[in-house]
Amino acid sequence: MIPQGFIQDLLSRVDVVDVVGRHVDLKKAGINHKGLCPFHGEKSPSFIVSPSRQTYHCFGCGVHGNAIGFLMEHTGASFVEAVEDLAQQVGMVVPQDDRSPEQRERAKAEKARQHSLTEVLARAAEFYKTQLRKAPRAVAYLKGRGLTGQIAARFGLGYAPEGWRSLASGFPSYDDPQLVEAGLVISPEADPGEDAKRYDRFRDRVMFPIRNVQGEVIGFGGRVLDKGEPKYLNSPETPVFIKGRELYGLFEGRQAMRQRGYALVVEGYMDVVALAQYGIANAVATLGTACTADHVHKLFRHTDSVVFSFDGDAAGRRAAVRALEAALPHASETHTVKFLFLPTEHDPDSFVRELGAEAFERAVEGAVPLSRQLTTVAAEGCDLGSPEGRARMLSQARPLWNLLPDGLLRRQLLGEFARQGQLPEAELQALWLGEPPPSAAAAPAPAPAAEKPRWQPKGEWKPKGEWKRKGRDEEPRPTGPRAMPSTPTDNAVRLLLQHSELWDALADEDRALLHELPGVHGTLVHWLERHLTHHGASSWAVVQAALAADGLGDAVGRLVRAVQELGIEEGDPAGDLARAVAELRSRAPTALPGGSGATDDERRRALEALARLRERHGVPP
């Protein structure tokens, strides 16, 4: 584990504006910097980076954090990787953690190995790019697919020559074992008494470099120019390339995802590049595997909406089912998933080249929402006009519905399946969740026979009496506004924590007043003074990290939440603090804890504080 003191020291040395500014176009806005949020699509900037607090916050989607958190969320780095990256930028050495020396050595060796492999792959990518300029047949093929030199350069397209050992001219040693480890060269097992004969994995193919989210080359996809099998050939899995986690085009398409508000998942490399050629640059492709939950999770780091595009044939429908299963654990009322089925004669590449970008975008607008795709898949092969068909549909739907996270979407779909299966929603909920069915005794008494209603429901409808009221009682009750307005006590303590340099400017009597605040406010003030004694005035990011390390993160969270969620931007922290303290001072003679929630100790402390204040200000008892 990295010592917390090192984290605080690191945050005090890095500048969050510089860190975020490498990934987001920021513009000065008063004392802060503002830009388009990199975590959700927006047209008006609501993403604020504060140099004084050393934090970022988006008033649109609510994300916030410090420099370490930004790297983790935006680049997909782990906590340790983000800390090491920042430490390297400012010339700091990450201290040894509590792993054994052997474990640390293995981790260090593995990281060096991965770095070395990405360097080998980057060199191969440059070699293939050079070869493309010397290959008229490959250039003609790409032009025939409607690609320009600019789009080829953007995706780093290249060409693997026909020879069996072409890479030998691109590397100092063709016998380098890393060429095999990186998946560039195949070295079959040698027969007894014979030497193994190495040869290039990719030959006479257009090469598509695969980059991770940091932009490093981690593998390749190669497509034949003419007829041949396999049509597409991918790098094998290596220490830096795991197909179930990576997406082709994610590095190139992140900005477009934010601008367009969604990610488009297609099946082939050429689909991604062709769509980008026509201005639809937010597409990614899976790497020869079905879409996984890891793929979906990675996409939702960059956008709130994902559209899967499939061919309309049987293979496309099967792929859509696998994508549905991968997307269900991440689907919610805030994460949108849709499914686009193209005509059977088209894939995205041919569709956009024949019909144009506008027609493709109209098709995306008409994509099938996840809820409809889920009910369609569940009902496949079922006759909903018969009890047997409805029972089979519900049986097929249950494992899919169970993949959904708890939330409003899951509840909505339960009701949808209940209607299609012609069962009361409460009864289906009891069956699927293993709860006892609603008690017959709880149902309201039937109306007298003489008072026959004018309208009779069809089917097995039951009056929605006690069981529906029970369902409503189980729902979370409204909690009011997202954040309650701050009190003067909240404001004073929060301002001091976020602008710790203001503590020294306070008068002695004001510091004494704050010290005597009851409850969590007084605890935070005492903590702040200790922190200032040992570390001096610090940025809010450093203070926040130290509070979390001391178990006070939740306590201070409520104070900060009100300002963040209500969108309050401070222009004069010192003046705001002075006004908050003045209001506290004016209330001090009567601000004794009261009510059933105050303890004897709190009342005693308040009375002692009141006596001291009266003595300081000359107020008679």
Side-chain angles (χ1 to χ4, degrees), residues 262-437:
Y262 71 96
L264 178 68
V265 183
V266 295
E267 296 186 75
Y269 305 108
M270 189 56 73
D271 293 327
V272 173
V273 179
L275 288 168
Q277 179 68 66
Y278 281 83
I280 304 172
N282 56 323
V284 297
T286 54
L287 302 167
T289 64
C291 185
T292 67
D294 284 339
H295 288 144
V296 179
H297 177 67
K298 183 168 285 191
L299 287 171
F300 277 135
R301 285 182 172 179
H302 301 277
T303 180
D304 292 330
S305 180
V306 175
V307 178
F308 292 98
S309 175
F310 299 101
D311 300 345
D313 56 13
R317 297 281 173 178
R318 289 194 297 271
V321 173
R322 293 192 292 270
L324 174 67
E325 293 172 350
L328 284 172
H330 303 283
S332 67
E333 51 272 19
T334 58
H335 286 163
T336 303
V337 178
K338 292 184 177 181
F339 296 82
L340 169 63
F341 295 98
L342 297 176
T344 54
E345 67 273 17
H346 281 301
D347 57 22
D349 176 17
S350 64
F351 188 101
V352 74
R353 283 192 288 119
E354 182 174 330
L355 302 176
E358 290 186 5
F360 189 86
E361 289 175 341
R362 286 196 298 271
V364 169
E365 291 175 359
V368 177
L370 176 138
S371 56
R372 193 186 311 164
Q373 178 67 9
L374 176 56
T375 55
T376 299
V377 170
E380 187 173 357
C382 303
D383 176 15
L384 298 185
S386 68
E388 294 86 351
R390 292 192 294 273
R392 181 181 177 187
M393 181 273 293
L394 291 174
S395 177
Q396 294 179 170
R398 182 177 181 178
L400 296 173
W401 180 82
N402 281 334
L403 292 174
L404 287 164
D406 288 335
L408 295 176
L409 179 61
R410 195 170 193 252
R411 294 178 65 88
Q412 288 282 331
L413 282 167
L414 179 70
E416 184 66 26
F417 283 124
R419 284 189 290 275
Q420 290 194 14
Q422 296 186 17
L423 281 177
E425 185 176 338
E427 186 174 333
L428 182 62
Q429 180 176 340
L431 288 171
W432 280 7
L433 297 181
E435 299 174 351

Side-chain angles (χ1 to χ4, degrees), residues 92-163:
M92 296 177 66
V93 178
V94 180
Q96 300 294 333
D97 53 30
D98 56 0
R99 292 175 296 177
S100 68
E102 293 79 10
Q103 289 174 323
R104 290 196 296 268
E105 284 301 317
R106 283 197 298 269
K108 183 178 179 181
E110 181 62 22
K111 186 173 182 179
R113 176 189 179 199
Q114 292 177 355
H115 180 68
S116 183
L117 285 178
T118 57
E119 288 184 334
V120 169
L121 290 161
R123 183 165 187 163
E126 289 300 319
F127 171 78
Y128 292 139
K129 284 170 63 177
T130 302
Q131 295 301 309
L132 178 61
R133 293 192 288 268
K134 303 175 184 178
R137 191 165 63 94
V139 172
Y141 169 82
L142 293 175
K143 287 183 176 179
R145 300 296 296 264
L147 303 183
T148 63
Q150 289 83 358
I151 206 71
R154 178 183 173 189
F155 284 88
L157 303 188
Y159 172 68
E162 293 182 84

Side-chain angles (χ1 to χ4, degrees), residues 452-532:
K452 184 176 180 180
R454 295 189 307 172
W455 174 81
Q456 287 284 348
K458 297 180 180 179
E460 299 178 2
W461 180 88
K462 297 179 181 179
K464 296 183 180 179
E466 294 297 322
W467 64 268
K468 186 166 185 180
R469 187 178 305 113
K470 176 183 176 182
R472 282 200 301 267
D473 289 342
E474 292 172 350
E475 293 180 4
R477 296 184 180 276
T479 57
R482 296 175 62 195
M484 294 298 292
S486 299
T487 65
T489 309
D490 291 340
N491 283 332
V493 177
R494 175 185 58 78
L495 286 163
L496 281 170
L497 292 171
Q498 293 186 329
H499 306 276
S500 55
E501 70 279 1
L502 298 178
W503 176 260
D504 289 335
L506 289 174
D508 291 340
E509 57 267 24
D510 292 336
R511 286 202 290 267
L513 170 64
L514 292 167
H515 262 300
E516 297 301 332
L517 290 174
V520 69
H521 296 95
T523 300
L524 291 171
V525 171
H526 282 280
W527 179 94
L528 177 62
E529 190 167 50
R530 289 196 305 272
H531 178 84
L532 292 171

